[in-house]
């Protein structure tokens, strides 16, 4: 293998710039399309005054949460900004660019999250109102789809626009700057996923435990003080968190491709990774506009159809672009590093992109199969409800394990397939990252599909709380919600696939960063059969388990606080149960806000400081092992958590649709238990693993040169001190959150229990 | 680093042989001690005729199962024997020795399992009878402890004896022969763990679902047709499977140490790994004899005390032995390969063994903390029972995740600590394997502790079924059973630690096997940052998830068949419920036997053929990645499954002891659900991961040279065909077991449901 990890600085010429400008214009066009979709959504009817009241409370709660989260993240962002600034860099330009674009990535990520949240709080009311009108099914579906379209357009538009700007302004020293950009996006997305995930599930689980279980009142009953918080949660978790997460996937995947691009394919290598998602933007617009359920058709089929159609169009256009834009030999590339390399760049790029698009399609199919109500796995989970909750849990876990295995193997096959496209390591890694950009072409439609879920869920909540929606309208909203469960699981599968592809490709930069710092002729290898690398793999796998456990625990703790507050309100104010007194919704929103922001700190610190501890403490070989372990276990864990949760949720819906005894039966109670277990799995721990992997990857990439430099200089003491400080920070955070947990368990809830 | 992976053939001289003979005599002495303990156990009272009747049924069921399992394994064993014989080997001696000692390892493993099962079926009755006598607590505890002692002595005695024989007869060409021996032991242990685990939990879960849940009759009620099967299961799963598993741990750890020994430490390196466990045998005898609960003391404290005392004695004796037997410089070693190496062999060996013993102590403490009824985690799980089953499941999963993380990190730290003992790779790997032998010194006591659990559980069953045991006696047995839950979790932790240490050390042999086959001067490396290795890591992690899912599913399916049969008996024969007609216990035993033997095939084939598929299909780098992924994820998964299961079981016991509302409360129902979920976790999937890792490791070690040879010869087509055949075998097995599952779910159970 020649040219191992030879990344190099890119050079763009005049005509190249104009291509980037065209890409930026396409990105802006996506935003314009999004704007027109938005106008259509906002023009829809807003229902009764009562519905508007409720929607307003949800909007205010969500906005208040994100405002406070912004303040928390600001502190975090400044600290990381300073750390980043302090890290060794080659020259002031790189140092400033890296830190500055870290901020840009972070701000973009947060803004897209905010936009997603704002939009969905506007749309939920309108979907509920539409379901109430004549021809409600079509109208409600249309508004929900259109809302998804707005968020989808915004995500791909801003993602592509951001990447174009970075390339335009930093083409010369792009890699480090791009790393900063990706890191900012990933870090903020992780916090929004974790914080929003804790908020939404604390409110959801807390509301269910007191409402459904203790008081026997239905979900979304207005007498439950946690209902508004539950609806706020859908927006800050499933919408804001998801939008930021997918933006981050977009950003980091593009970063990986752009870093490798010029080394592998010269100037064209910097441009082609922008062209592919630009095509994706065009096909996403098509996908959003052609999504229309035929009469009597399941909504998921309609979504799937438009996904496959738009994916097929992307595939054709990308193949054409690859052959049109790229030469048939490496000698034909502008500024090719290895003009004598055998192989056809156009063919390599086309096949790589096709692999990525096919991967998206297979994940969509697999996830639909494992979490959809009409397929065997969910039906089987539903059947096991007849023998009680234990068998529901076991069958759901089996579904999760099984789907994780097949999805992981498919992702692995895609990586391996792209890897085989060239014997040159850099080109092979670039092919893997191009498969990632192929995956990105589907993100617009994916986001549109995903947003659909929480918007429908919220619309259902508003309908239930206001009591102003007809039975028929409520049924429509329930159906839309069930489709949402599957689309949400699909999004998580696609997101984790981007994490694996980007991480694999970024290993090239990792190796190069170490080679540069070592100034050695011997290329860096992390030999897996050596115990230090293997120990790294074990620790990496352990961190995924720890992060998942922390997230689940955080939900339990925060839900406990919600339970206490709702119980207190019922106890102090008997009028709430009679329906004569309005519960203090705002207090539960405040509790969720406070607790979720407090709880996101520990997993956040773990993600940032664990690679620092391993890198400085055990060296760069162990750190590579750590990343490998985290990627492998993280992939499986993320899909397991997402799909078992999705299967449980839909098994519950199956029973609620009248199977196995229907609502109120023992079988229903069993599936409610499954759903509650699945809540923090699928909406808190699972989706946060994607940005977690990327954050750890980028932190490792950023600190590796410092580790090497200290090692060469013999600063063992300094390395050990840095590692210990990192370990202590994590340990202190864990201890503090454990203490908090016990305090909640031991005091107020107990008191109210005993009242 | 010099001397990378230079394993060499050992040479023993006259005085060395006499040391091996002394070790063999110590091993035989352990068996003699075991014999005297056995006489004491058998001399104990056997209770009423009714109790003896029940015990007889259990004995017959267990013996019948193992007989049929033996026949199944015989087929498997012959096939693997032939495959092994067909693999490339250097000369006929290696080929014959390897295959022959595969059979020896397999026969030993099976025999120890059989012995463990036979003993416990003899002891359970006597423990139940003792609990009924005057001073029942002391007597019952003593009989249970002594039974454990017999199995402990048998395991270490036969393990050490087997290894001594191999060294005596094959010292010259030991490595490949040793691999065969370890492979035979691990393969049979895996099947016994999986088969027994499916049997025991199918019967347990099936009995609970119909008895406790549907009919509302207590556990072990004689009217339940599955009770005898449940008790048989405790013996074939928890006793036979566990004994074979720990024997296998013993064998493979010693194999790893002996393979590396002579290369690292010359002739002394072949002897010291035998001396350490010989010391362990002596201290195990001490440990078994000093175990005695003080009046009013928790049984676990007594066990822990004797563990720590015997571990301390081992530590002192091993340190003395290391300094007495090994020289202070490498030049002083007989036939040292690298006499100029800096460092003190005696010190290195002493510290390595101390690391191993300390690791056992820490795992004991950690597991006790996370699964014991008197510590916070289980108490917390118990508390969450007040908010229903969902919170019980979530808190138990959190406990499992958390304990897995800390245990994995401690194991990782032990590996890394031993690795740091020498800059020479071979010596560092030998130090890691010596840490494994340090861990082995505790196995005698560990097995004694573990056997205690199922024996007490069974005694409880006999007491309940016969109705001939006093309330006080029953209470004593319940307490003993709770202690057993924690000791069983500890055993699994120790076993998985041996898997990591042995696997890490065996990576040295793996590399050497490849270097030998390649005949290249460039040492083999599996570069983790290269995509093909990383894909291997992902697949390795996936196989662990798949294996766990298959095991859990197998239990669900087999339990479904049990549910159907028990329901049928209740339905066809109303006299059973009145207590006038005796249910047909034998039919349920037959069903469990048939189903568990059928169900073990798929996970068994996965374990053997997945490394073959990866190795031949993707190459030896991917296969190394595969093993790394399987080790890391397997460690975490095994501990997660074992400890969450243990915590749920003990949380249930906490509630049954009168906390949170006691028996019959909603909280109790919630913990019963947790316990049922935990059953296949802790007794089927979790414990089988340890032998799984070792089987996959040894298969990889055995096939790697063939992969390299085919690659060098350019036989790509042959490689691909072998890989595809392996994949097809796995796929076919998965499809067949899925079909079976659906057939059960769709037909008879449904029919009876609708009766």
């Amino acid at each position: 293998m020649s040219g191992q990890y030879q990344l190099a600085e890119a050079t763009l010429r005049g005509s190249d710039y104009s291509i980037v400008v065209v890409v930026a214009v396409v990105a802006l066009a996506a935003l314009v399309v999004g704007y027109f979709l938005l106008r259509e959504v906002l023009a829809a009817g807003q229902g009764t005054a009562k519905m508007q009241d409720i929607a307003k409370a949800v909007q205010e709660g969500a906005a208040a949460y994100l405002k406070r989260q912004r303040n928390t993240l600001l502190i975090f962002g400044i600290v990381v900004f300073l750390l980043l600034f302090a890290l060794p860099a080659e020259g002031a330009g790189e140092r400033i660019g890296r830190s500055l674009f870290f901020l840009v990535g972070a701000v973009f990520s947060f803004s897209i999250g905010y936009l997603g949240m704002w939009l969905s709080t506007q749309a939920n009311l309108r979907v509920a109102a539409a379901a109430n009108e004549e021809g409600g099914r079509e109208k409600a579906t249309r508004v929900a789809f259109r809302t998804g379209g707005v968020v989808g357009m915004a995500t791909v538009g801003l993602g592509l626009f951001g990447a174009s700007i970075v390339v335009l302004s930093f083409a010369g020293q792009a890699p480090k700057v791009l790393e900063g950009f990706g890191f900012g996006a990933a870090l903020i997305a992780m916090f929004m996923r974790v914080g929003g995930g804790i908020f939404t599930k604390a409110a959801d689980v807390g509301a269910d435990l007191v409402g459904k279980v203790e008081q026997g009142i239905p979900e979304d009953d207005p007498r439950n003080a946690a209902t508004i918080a539950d609806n706020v949660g859908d927006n800050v978790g499933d919408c804001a968190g998801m939008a930021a997460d997918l933006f981050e996937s977009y950003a980091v995947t593009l970063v990986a491709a752009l870093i490798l691009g010029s080394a592998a394919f010269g100037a064209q290598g910097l441009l082609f990774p922008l062209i592919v998602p630009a095509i994706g933007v065009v096909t996403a617009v098509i996908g959003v506009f052609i999504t229309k359920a035929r009469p009597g058709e399941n909504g998921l089929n309609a979504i799937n159809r438009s996904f496959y159609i738009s994916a097929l169009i992307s595939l054709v256009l990308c193949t054409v672009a690859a052959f049109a834009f790229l030469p048939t030999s490496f000698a034909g590339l502008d500024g090719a590093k290895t003009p004598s390399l055998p192989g056809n760049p156009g063919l390599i790029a086309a096949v790589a992109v096709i692999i990525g698009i096919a991967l998206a399609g297979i994940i969509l199919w697999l996830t639909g199969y494992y979490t959809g109500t009409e397929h065997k796995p969910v039906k089987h989970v539903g059947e096991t409800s007849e023998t009680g909750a234990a068998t529901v849990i076991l069958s759901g876990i089996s579904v999760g394990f099984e789907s994780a295995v097949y999805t992981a193997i498919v992702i692995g096959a895609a990586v391996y397939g792209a890897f085989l496209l060239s014997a040159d390591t850099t080109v092979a890694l670039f092919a893997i990252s191009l498969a990632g950009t192929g995956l990105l072409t589907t993100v617009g439609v994916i986001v549109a599909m995903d947003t659909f879920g929480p918007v429908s869920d919220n619309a259902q909540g508003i309908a239930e709380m206001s009591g102003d929606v007809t039975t028929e309208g409520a049924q429509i909203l329930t159906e839309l919600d069930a489709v949402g469960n599957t689309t949400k699981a699909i999004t998580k599968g696609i997101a984790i696939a981007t994490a694996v592809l980007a991480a694999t490709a970024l290993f090239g930069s990792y190796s190069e960063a170490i080679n540069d710092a070592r100034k050695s002729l011997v290329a860096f290898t992390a030999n897996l059969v050596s115990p230090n690398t293997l120990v790294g793999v074990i620790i990496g796998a352990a961190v995924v388990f720890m992060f998942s456990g922390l997230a689940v625990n955080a939900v339990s703790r925060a839900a406990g606080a919600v339970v206490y507050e709702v119980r207190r309100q019922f106890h102090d104010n008997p009028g709430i149960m009679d329906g004569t007194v309005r519960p203090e919704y705002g207090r539960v929103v405040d509790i969720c806000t406070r607790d979720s922001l407090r709880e996101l700190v520990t997993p956040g610190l773990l993600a940032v400081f664990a690679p620092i501890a391993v890198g400085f403490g055990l060296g760069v070989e162990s750190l590579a092992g750590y990343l490998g372990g985290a990627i492998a276990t993280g992939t499986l864990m993320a899909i397991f958590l997402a799909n078992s949760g999705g299967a449980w949720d839909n098994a519950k819906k199956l029973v609620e649709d009248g199977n196995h005894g229907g609502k109120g039966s023992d079988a229903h109670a069993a599936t409610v238990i499954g759903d509650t277990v699945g809540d923090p799995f699928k909406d808190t721990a699972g989706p946060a693993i994607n940005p977690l992997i990327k954050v750890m990857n980028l932190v490792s990439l950023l600190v590796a040169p410092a580790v090497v430099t200290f090692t060469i200089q013999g600063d063992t003491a300094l390395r050990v001190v840095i590692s210990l400080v990192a370990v202590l920070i994590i340990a202190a955070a864990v201890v503090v959150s454990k203490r908090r947990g016990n305090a909640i368990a031991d005091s107020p809830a107990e008191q109210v229990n005993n009242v």
Side-chain angles (χ1 to χ4, degrees), chain A residues 539-573:
Chain A
I539 300 175
V543 164
V544 171
F545 272 70
M546 185 153 186
F547 183 85
S548 307
L550 285 172
V552 169
N553 254 333
V555 171
S556 302
R557 268 196 298 269
V562 171
V563 166
Y564 167 63
E565 173 61 23
V566 179
R567 271 186 194 153
R568 189 196 63 76
Q569 292 197 19
F570 275 128
H571 179 261
D572 291 356
N573 218 329

Side-chain angles (χ1 to χ4, degrees), chain A residues 331-592:
Chain A
L333 291 165
D334 294 345
K337 300 289 167 297
T338 42
S340 60
L341 210 64
N344 176 343
L347 184 65
I348 291 172
V351 175
V353 171
I354 289 172
I355 286 175
I357 296 175
L359 175 60
I362 297 172
I363 291 176
L364 180 90
W365 179 82
L366 269 176
T367 313
Y369 177 75
Y370 280 104
T371 64
T373 46
E374 70 277 21
H375 299 289
K376 267 188 192 165
V378 170
K379 280 188 183 160
H380 175 66
V381 176
E383 278 162 17
T384 59
S385 67
E386 294 186 13
T387 38
T391 45
V392 170
I393 300 293
L394 287 173
S395 58
I397 286 175
S398 289
V399 168
F401 278 172
E402 199 178 310
S403 60
V405 170
Y406 296 127
T407 312
I409 287 177
V410 169
I411 296 173
V415 171
Y416 198 79
F419 167 74
L420 289 180
L421 290 175
S422 174
D424 180 87
T425 307
T426 308
V427 176
L429 290 176
F430 183 56
I432 292 170
S433 69
L434 279 184
T437 62
L439 207 61
L440 289 188
T441 62
T442 66
V443 162
V445 178
I446 292 287
V447 173
M449 284 164 61
D450 189 307
T451 308
F452 186 82
V455 168
S456 311
D457 193 353
N458 247 261
Q460 210 185 358
I462 290 172
E464 177 89 31
M465 284 184 72
S466 66
D468 284 352
V469 173
T470 59
T471 323
E472 203 192 326
Q475 177 57 28
I476 292 168
L477 295 174
T478 303
E479 284 166 28
L480 294 183
D481 189 18
V483 172
N485 280 329
T486 298
T487 57
K488 278 162 66 180
I490 292 169
T491 310
K492 291 161 199 161
I494 302 274
I496 199 75
T498 69
V500 178
L501 292 169
T504 313
L506 285 174
F507 261 147
S509 320
Y510 181 80
S511 301
E512 210 214 26
I514 292 166
N515 288 335
D516 277 0
R518 281 189 176 162
K519 297 177 179 64
S520 153
L521 285 177
V522 181
F524 167 74
T525 55
N527 191 6
L528 181 58
V529 297
S530 173
N532 55 337
T533 310
L534 184 65
V535 168
V537 178
I538 294 174
I539 300 175
V543 164
V544 171
F545 272 70
M546 185 153 186
F547 183 85
S548 307
L550 285 172
V552 169
N553 254 333
V555 171
S556 302
R557 268 196 298 269
V562 171
V563 166
Y564 167 63
E565 173 61 23
V566 179
R567 271 186 194 153
R568 189 196 63 76
Q569 292 197 19
F570 275 128
H571 179 261
D572 291 356
N573 218 329
I576 294 176
M577 202 61 192
D578 309 341
T580 53
V581 179
R582 200 181 133 116
E584 298 169 80
Y585 300 120
R587 287 199 52 141
V588 182
V589 173
D590 283 349
I591 287 172
C592 289

Side-chain angles (χ1 to χ4, degrees), chain A residues 660-672:
Chain A
H660 312 294
K663 267 197 177 180
S665 63
D666 284 350
H668 185 231
T671 54
V672 168

Side-chain angles (χ1 to χ4, degrees), chain A residues 240-265:
Chain A
M242 181 276 295
D245 182 11
L246 281 185
F247 169 73
E248 168 271 322
S249 298
Y250 214 88
V252 177
T253 307
L254 273 181
V255 162
L258 291 170
I259 288 179
L260 291 156
S262 64
F265 276 15

